[in-house]
Amino acid sequence: MKQSEIKELSVAELQEKLSETKKSYVDLKMAHAVSPLENPIQLRSVRRDVARIATELTKRDLK
């Protein structure tokens, strides 16, 4: 998910997207622990998406 896409979402949508993305990250980590993922770089991209969304939420809270 790109930063420009994140900026277009409302706060409620961001919170929903954050919880979905965190769940996806946990699921990927568990799957990777059991058997290696075909593309382990997925973990990095999902983790960074979580950070991008959380950063945007924090930025909006400070305004």
Side-chain angles (χ1 to χ4, degrees):
M1 184 168 234
K2 295 185 178 182
Q3 190 66 27
S4 58
E5 295 172 358
I6 293 172
K7 287 183 179 181
E8 294 173 0
L9 299 175
S10 70
V11 174
E13 290 172 328
L14 282 174
Q15 290 172 340
E16 181 181 329
K17 195 72 158 170
L18 181 62
S19 65
E20 289 173 7
T21 311
K22 280 184 177 182
K23 184 182 180 327
S24 170
Y25 179 64
V26 170
D27 291 344
L28 277 174
K29 272 181 56 173
M30 291 299 287
H32 187 63
V34 173
S35 64
L37 290 175
E38 194 172 305
N39 184 9
I41 305 282
Q42 267 182 311
L43 286 169
R44 184 189 318 164
S45 67
V46 174
R47 185 175 65 235
R48 288 181 178 176
D49 285 343
V50 168
R52 283 188 192 103
I53 295 168
T55 301
E56 183 64 27
L57 278 171
T58 304
K59 191 185 305 182
R60 290 185 187 188
D61 283 345
L62 294 176
K63 283 187 178 180

